[in-house]
Amino acid sequence: MAEINGVRRSRTAGGVLVAATVATGLMAGTFYVFACAVMPALARSDDRVYVDVMRDINEVIENAVFLPVFLGALVLAGLAGWQSRRAPGRWWVWAGATAYALAFLVTAAGNVPLNDALARPGDPAALRERFEDPWLAWNAVRAALSTVATGCLAAGAAARVRTTSWAASGAVRREAVHGSPR
């Protein structure tokens, strides 16, 4: 534990906050790439290809690279919020954790049920008709929320660094004026 401005802080809290920021940033980027490239490219496809490719994507995305980041961002952001409860920038960290929790809920309540419905047998045109527009809308919401989460977590980390740097520089100045710490 380190003491900064009279508050004891875990040395790992900063690392957790950075990891949460990176993980939410990776998720924001994933959702953004779907919005900017994957879905517009698929929109050019006929119904059968569209449905088959989305089914394949939904199957392969549940892998050892994506899932730990998707779930880890939620856990890390929540842990960073808890660790920041008395730290500078805590409101930014809490806002970031909340924004990512909402993005996670949008995925679970919006995109995943649409993915599950698309996996069922049926006419590709009818499946696509029920899937495409709502999925795109929910993806835009989760992309925006994940981006907000990343920005808020980064702002919280910056506030922590500024305060820690300021506190450390003050300690150095005090030491220079008054001699070594007692």
Side-chain angles (χ1 to χ4, degrees):
M1 295 288 242
E3 188 168 310
I4 301 168
N5 290 343
V7 178
R8 293 178 54 90
R9 303 195 198 288
S10 165
R11 294 189 190 276
T12 61
V16 169
L17 180 53
V18 167
T21 306
V22 170
T24 58
L26 287 169
M27 293 313 305
T30 299
F31 301 143
Y32 178 77
V33 166
F34 267 90
C36 293
V38 175
M39 300 312 285
L42 276 177
R44 296 178 174 186
S45 303
D46 68 45
D47 296 335
R48 167 64 57 202
V49 170
Y50 182 96
V51 169
D52 286 345
V53 170
M54 277 307 298
R55 285 175 174 169
D56 288 343
I57 289 170
N58 291 332
E59 185 178 313
V60 301
I61 202 158
E62 294 179 13
N63 62 56
V65 176
F66 174 81
L67 285 177
V69 176
F70 176 64
L71 298 170
L74 181 66
V75 171
L76 289 166
L79 181 57
W82 182 78
Q83 289 178 328
S84 297
R85 63 195 178 281
R86 289 184 215 102
R90 68 183 164 271
W91 299 110
W92 285 114
V93 177
W94 290 346
T98 301
Y100 188 75
L102 290 171
F104 187 91
L105 288 173
V106 164
T107 301
N111 295 91
V112 170
L114 289 166
N115 294 343
D116 292 344
L118 190 67
R120 294 186 196 107
D123 172 56
L127 289 170
R128 181 177 182 173
E129 177 67 29
R130 289 189 299 270
F131 175 86
E132 190 170 19
D133 288 342
W135 195 95
L136 291 171
W138 286 122
N139 186 65
V141 170
R142 68 186 180 169
L145 286 167
S146 296
T147 301
V148 167
T150 303
C152 288
L153 291 170
R160 181 176 291 179
V161 167
R162 279 192 308 272
T163 303
T164 303
S165 297
W166 178 81
S169 67
V172 169
R173 282 193 303 273
R174 282 189 301 277
E175 189 174 318
V177 172
H178 301 293
S180 63
R182 299 171 199 205

